């Protein structure tokens, strides 16, 4: 049997989500033909791990100067793009032009100009790009979508969504490349793309106008000094720095074998410092964000994110002309910390709550099963869609292409523009995304 061939570029922390199921669960029908990364240490760390964990032969590995050689030698059917966000478009376009389809981690890219080159390449090549919005596959999120699609609250008119990142997960965006807007698009793009996508998909609508405000209010040197915590700003990084012991934001790369192998031991060939001080100078992304969004369908949404909360989770209220749906989740942070400082997570309060309150009726509490597995059980489900020969039939529209990827990242890009200009931004002025369409499901 001919197996579907995959190559991967960007072999950092997130790549096991893709290469492990190929090497393990789906090995009968899938094959990895190449791993590419700017760091030889990081790509070989995964290469050796795959051999050891799944008993497979070593996957050929390539530096970034040999990306095209990897395509020529491996002849992949699909390329998995898992590099920092602002580089996604480069590898997407090169892969499409080679003749492969692409699976790209969220956010699809970081701004409208980069999306324009992706859309142009899709048009020219006729190849496909999947955006991996794994949150759509979480059981609570899917149930919200199902209830709204069934008309449980009538026609949606308003959404109110608040996301909280705790001081383990939230802080992690301020330790490395994510903390520079040029590389990540800021949290409005890098992180909020998940949340904007959930709203778009839940209400099946395309966003039209964004007015936003944002601030760096907690992380960064100035904020720590203003709070009287100057002592927390005295070192550039945490690992190996005695003075940082006891700092609640400390990350110790030596304290976790994955962090050590993947990042500390790769510093010499990449210069990538994984544990920079979250209270250093130069961070230019926001940690507090608010946006008002109007949709082409007329729905209005109110959104906020804070990255320095005591607990992690979100709360959404969706109001329709027949009632209101309220959903909230408290969950664990998804990072490895080296110091195991997940202790800040109040585990007892983890859980989810879903309530539908129809007009003139008593509220109804709806039970949700929260299975184990990455991202609330979402990851195995999306892996099945990506890699199985016969994936389960998908009736919720959870698979997203490049245009649905854009519908979410462009909200963040418009939010960034709004913060910079103080103006409300029309998304079509950034990129004319299928101007005649109103529903998200009309987009690829
Ligand atoms: N869906 C999710 O929940 C989720 C979670 C984490 C990360 N992500 C996404 O996955 C992607 C990767 O994130 P990560 O956490 O693995 O980051 P990471 O920093 O751990 O890994 C990025 C890798 O890219 C490599 N790289 C840097 N520049 C490169 C270049 N020019 N060419 C090739 N490789 C290069 C780095 O060496 C590193 O190995 C990002 O787009 C991120 O937004 C998604």
């Amino acid at each position: 049997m001919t197996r579907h061939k995959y190559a991967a570029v960007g072999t950092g922390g997130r790549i096991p989500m893709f290469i492990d199921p190929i090497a393990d669960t789906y090995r009968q029908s899938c094959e990895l033909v190449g791993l590419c990364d700017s760091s030889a240490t990081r790509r070989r760390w995964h290469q050796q791990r795959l051999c050891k964990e799944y008993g497979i032969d070593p996957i050929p590995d390539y530096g970034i100067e040999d990306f095209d050689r990897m395509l020529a030698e491996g002849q992949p059917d699909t390329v998995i793009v898992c590099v920092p966000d602002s580089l996604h478009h480069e590898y997407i376009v090169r892969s499409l032009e080679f003749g492969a389809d692409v699976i790209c981690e969220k956010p699809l890219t970081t701004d409208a100009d980069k999306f324009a080159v992706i859309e142009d390449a899709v048009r020219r090549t006729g190849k496909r790009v999947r955006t991996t919005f794994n949150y759509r596959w979480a059981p609570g999120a899917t149930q919200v979508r199902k209830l709204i699609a069934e008309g449980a609250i009538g026609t949606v008119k308003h959404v109110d969504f608040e996301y909280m990142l705790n001081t383990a997960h939230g802080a992690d965006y301020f330790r490395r490349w994510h903390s520079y807007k040029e590389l990540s698009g800021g949290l409005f793009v890098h992180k909020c793309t998940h949340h904007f996508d959930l709203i778009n998909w839940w209400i099946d609508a395309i966003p039209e106008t964004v007015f936003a405000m944002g601030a760096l209010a907690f992380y960064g040197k100035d904020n720590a000094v203003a709070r009287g915590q100057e002592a927390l700003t005295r070192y550039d990084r945490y690992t190996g720095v005695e003075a940082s012991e006891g700092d609640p934001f400390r990350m110790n790369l030596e304290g976790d074998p994955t962090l050590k192998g993947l990042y500390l031991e790769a510093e010499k060939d990449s210069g990538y410092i994984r544990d920079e001080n979250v209270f250093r100078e130069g961070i230019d992304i926001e940690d507090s964000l608010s946006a008002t969004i109007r949709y082409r369908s007329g729905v209005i949404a109110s959104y906020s994110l804070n990255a320095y909360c005591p607990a992690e989770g979100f709360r959404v209220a969706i109001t329709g002309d027949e009632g209101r749906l309220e959903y909230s989740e408290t969950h664990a942070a998804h990072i490895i910390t080296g110091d195991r400082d997940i202790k800040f997570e109040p585990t007892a309060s983890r859980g989810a709550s879903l309530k539908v309150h129809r007009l003139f009726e008593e509220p109804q509490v709806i039970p949700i099963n929260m299975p184990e597995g990455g991202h609330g059980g979402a990851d195995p489900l999306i892996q099945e869609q990506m890699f199985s020969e016969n994936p389960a039939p998908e009736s919720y529209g959870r698979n997203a292409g490049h245009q649905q990827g854009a519908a979410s990242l462009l909200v963040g890009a418009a939010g960034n523009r709004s913060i910079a200009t103080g103006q409300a931004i029309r998304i079509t002025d950034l990129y004319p995304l299928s101007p005649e369409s109103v529903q998200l499901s009309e987009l690829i």
Side-chain angles (χ1 to χ4, degrees):
M1 183 185 70
T2 317
R3 292 188 291 172
H4 192 101
K5 292 183 191 169
Y6 294 86
V9 59
T11 56
R14 182 63 177 158
I15 200 66
M17 155 84 179
F18 304 94
I19 58 178
D20 285 48
I22 294 174
D24 185 18
T25 312
Y26 300 104
R27 64 200 295 171
Q28 300 301 330
S29 54
C30 300
E31 181 185 5
L32 258 179
V33 295
L35 299 173
C36 176
D37 197 284
S38 49
S39 162
T41 308
R42 255 192 294 283
R43 57 182 194 258
R44 287 183 191 146
W45 189 86
H46 282 296
Q47 180 198 50
Q48 284 158 24
R49 185 182 61 77
L50 291 177
C51 294
K52 207 164 131 200
E53 288 179 22
Y54 308 115
I56 61 172
D57 292 335
I59 310 300
D61 74 292
Y62 301 83
I64 55 176
E65 63 288 358
D66 288 326
F67 178 75
D68 294 323
R69 188 162 66 82
M70 173 174 80
L71 302 184
E73 288 178 1
Q75 293 291 313
D77 302 295
T78 302
V79 176
I80 296 160
V81 175
C82 203
V83 292
D85 309 342
S86 64
L87 302 170
H88 286 178
H89 67 296
E90 291 179 15
Y91 288 109
I92 291 173
V93 170
R94 286 165 73 182
S95 304
L96 295 174
E97 286 176 346
F98 164 77
D101 291 328
V102 169
I103 293 174
C104 183
E105 253 302 354
K106 56 49 59 182
L108 180 65
T109 183
T110 49
D111 63 36
D113 292 346
K114 290 178 179 141
F115 175 68
V117 302
I118 295 173
E119 175 128 287
D120 175 61
V122 171
R123 279 207 190 106
R124 280 187 289 112
T125 61
K127 290 288 162 183
R128 284 174 305 161
V129 178
R130 172 194 280 270
T131 314
T132 55
F133 284 131
N134 51 322
Y135 273 34
R136 290 189 185 187
W137 302 79
T142 297
Q143 210 154 341
V144 170
R145 157 83 184 191
K146 184 168 176 278
L147 286 164
I148 292 174
E150 287 169 358
I153 55 168
T155 303
V156 173
K157 300 292 178 185
H158 187 271
V159 179
D160 185 7
F161 189 120
E162 177 190 22
Y163 202 93
M164 293 147 280
L165 289 165
N166 70 7
T167 45
H169 192 194
D172 209 36
Y173 297 110
F174 295 83
R175 295 189 174 112
R176 47 183 177 143
W177 56 265
H178 311 69
S179 55
Y180 304 107
K181 223 168 228 195
E182 194 189 341
L183 301 180
S184 68
L187 293 185
F188 245 165
V189 173
H190 174 80
K191 187 67 194 171
C192 307
T193 190
H194 275 307
H195 316 144
F196 297 143
D197 175 64
L198 283 179
I199 301 173
N200 298 349
W201 171 66
W202 280 332
I203 68 173
D204 194 18
I206 300 173
E208 178 201 63
T209 303
V210 181
F211 179 64
M213 293 192 188
L216 181 63
F218 184 82
Y219 300 104
K221 183 168 183 177
D222 292 349
N223 291 315
V225 171
R227 285 194 301 273
Q229 295 179 325
E230 188 274 334
L232 298 184
T233 72
R234 288 185 197 153
Y235 25 87
D236 297 334
R237 65 180 299 175
Y238 300 106
T239 303
V241 179
E242 215 175 302
S244 75
E245 277 169 28
D247 180 335
F249 293 90
R250 182 169 199 264
M251 168 177 259
N252 176 17
L253 299 180
E254 277 164 339
D256 181 290
T258 300
L259 289 173
K260 190 171 180 214
L262 208 48
Y263 300 104
L264 189 62
E265 287 172 1
E267 286 179 10
K268 56 189 176 305
D269 70 26
S270 66
Y272 177 173
I273 309 293
R274 175 69 178 77
D275 61 329
E276 288 187 83
N277 191 329
V278 298
F279 300 117
R280 71 188 185 283
E281 279 176 339
I283 292 171
D284 68 359
I285 63 164
E286 300 83 7
D287 53 22
S288 299
L289 289 162
S290 285
T292 301
I293 306 156
R294 188 173 51 230
Y295 281 78
R296 293 180 188 175
S297 59
V299 173
I300 293 168
S302 179
Y303 172 84
S304 74
L305 173 94
N306 279 297
Y308 46 90
C309 294
E312 175 121 347
F314 72 86
R315 183 191 62 74
V316 62
I318 304 177
T319 309
D321 55 12
E322 293 177 23
R324 178 174 164 99
L325 178 154
E326 292 175 3
Y327 179 68
S328 64
E329 247 183 61
T330 309
H331 46 68
H334 315 297
I335 60 159
I336 35 179
T337 68
D339 268 354
R340 298 271 158 245
D341 52 355
I342 293 284
K343 61 177 179 278
F344 290 108
E345 188 68 32
T347 43
S349 68
R350 275 185 214 165
S353 151
L354 176 58
K355 201 168 72 178
V356 170
H357 194 171
R358 289 184 55 79
L359 290 178
F360 316 115
E361 294 178 17
E362 286 300 308
Q364 235 190 313
V365 173
I366 296 172
I368 303 168
N369 291 324
M370 296 294 280
E372 294 298 315
H375 296 105
D379 288 355
L381 294 176
I382 192 172
Q383 285 162 350
E384 185 198 5
Q385 294 291 316
M386 288 189 287
F387 303 126
S388 167
E389 278 183 301
N390 301 301
E394 171 45 30
S395 53
Y396 302 115
R398 288 181 288 193
N399 290 307
H402 68 293
Q403 290 181 333
Q404 294 196 15
S408 126
L409 85 87
L410 289 173
V411 180
N416 281 334
R417 180 75 66 88
S418 181
I419 292 172
T421 61
Q423 304 295 313
I425 304 296
R426 279 167 48 94
I427 290 175
T428 41
D429 291 344
L430 299 184
Y431 186 83
L433 184 64
S434 189
E436 306 306 318
S437 306
V438 175
Q439 292 179 298
L440 187 78
S441 50
E442 293 173 61
L443 304 182
I444 301 164

mmCIF file of all heavy atoms in Angstrom, residues 55 58 101 153 253 298 341 392 407 430:
data_model
loop_
_atom_site.group_PDB
_atom_site.id
_atom_site.type_symbol
_atom_site.label_atom_id
_atom_site.label_comp_id
_atom_site.label_asym_id
_atom_site.label_seq_id
_atom_site.Cartn_x
_atom_site.Cartn_y
_atom_site.Cartn_z
ATOM 1 N N GLY A 55 10.207 2.878 17.510
ATOM 2 C CA GLY A 55 10.973 1.844 16.810
ATOM 3 C C GLY A 55 11.037 2.054 15.309
ATOM 4 O O GLY A 55 11.120 1.073 14.545
ATOM 5 N N PRO A 58 15.550 6.157 11.412
ATOM 6 C CA PRO A 58 15.752 7.611 11.512
ATOM 7 C C PRO A 58 15.158 8.346 10.304
ATOM 8 O O PRO A 58 15.354 7.931 9.156
ATOM 9 C CB PRO A 58 17.274 7.764 11.547
ATOM 10 C CG PRO A 58 17.803 6.435 11.941
ATOM 11 C CD PRO A 58 16.814 5.414 11.462
ATOM 12 N N ASP A 101 0.202 19.658 -0.491
ATOM 13 C CA ASP A 101 -0.767 20.334 0.369
ATOM 14 C C ASP A 101 -0.042 20.733 1.654
ATOM 15 O O ASP A 101 1.080 20.257 1.913
ATOM 16 C CB ASP A 101 -1.926 19.392 0.718
ATOM 17 C CG ASP A 101 -2.805 19.103 -0.510
ATOM 18 O OD1 ASP A 101 -2.935 19.991 -1.367
ATOM 19 O OD2 ASP A 101 -3.346 17.981 -0.579
ATOM 20 N N ILE A 153 -30.934 28.978 21.040
ATOM 21 C CA ILE A 153 -31.138 30.355 21.525
ATOM 22 C C ILE A 153 -31.645 31.271 20.399
ATOM 23 O O ILE A 153 -31.555 32.491 20.476
ATOM 24 C CB ILE A 153 -29.845 30.940 22.166
ATOM 25 C CG1 ILE A 153 -28.659 30.873 21.187
ATOM 26 C CG2 ILE A 153 -29.520 30.232 23.466
ATOM 27 C CD1 ILE A 153 -27.437 31.688 21.637
ATOM 28 N N LEU A 253 15.353 25.432 32.787
ATOM 29 C CA LEU A 253 15.479 24.505 31.649
ATOM 30 C C LEU A 253 16.191 23.219 32.039
ATOM 31 O O LEU A 253 16.057 22.203 31.347
ATOM 32 C CB LEU A 253 16.222 25.180 30.491
ATOM 33 C CG LEU A 253 15.570 26.438 29.890
ATOM 34 C CD1 LEU A 253 16.420 26.986 28.750
ATOM 35 C CD2 LEU A 253 14.163 26.140 29.373
ATOM 36 N N GLY A 298 -24.266 41.189 11.286
ATOM 37 C CA GLY A 298 -24.850 42.149 12.229
ATOM 38 C C GLY A 298 -24.581 41.814 13.684
ATOM 39 O O GLY A 298 -24.810 42.644 14.574
ATOM 40 N N ASP A 341 5.896 24.642 38.237
ATOM 41 C CA ASP A 341 5.160 25.660 38.975
ATOM 42 C C ASP A 341 3.693 25.714 38.579
ATOM 43 O O ASP A 341 3.009 26.676 38.811
ATOM 44 C CB ASP A 341 5.808 27.043 38.864
ATOM 45 C CG ASP A 341 6.072 27.450 37.439
ATOM 46 O OD1 ASP A 341 5.837 26.631 36.552
ATOM 47 O OD2 ASP A 341 6.527 28.569 37.234
ATOM 48 N N ALA A 392 -13.685 9.819 11.002
ATOM 49 C CA ALA A 392 -15.108 9.814 11.346
ATOM 50 C C ALA A 392 -15.795 10.947 10.581
ATOM 51 O O ALA A 392 -15.201 12.011 10.393
ATOM 52 C CB ALA A 392 -15.257 10.039 12.853
ATOM 53 N N ALA A 407 -10.019 34.382 8.470
ATOM 54 C CA ALA A 407 -11.142 35.069 9.126
ATOM 55 C C ALA A 407 -10.848 35.318 10.598
ATOM 56 O O ALA A 407 -11.341 36.283 11.183
ATOM 57 C CB ALA A 407 -12.421 34.244 8.969
ATOM 58 N N LEU A 430 -8.201 45.678 5.035
ATOM 59 C CA LEU A 430 -6.916 44.976 5.169
ATOM 60 C C LEU A 430 -6.782 43.913 4.078
ATOM 61 O O LEU A 430 -5.737 43.767 3.454
ATOM 62 C CB LEU A 430 -6.806 44.278 6.535
ATOM 63 C CG LEU A 430 -6.871 45.143 7.790
ATOM 64 C CD1 LEU A 430 -6.635 44.285 9.020
ATOM 65 C CD2 LEU A 430 -5.845 46.265 7.738
#
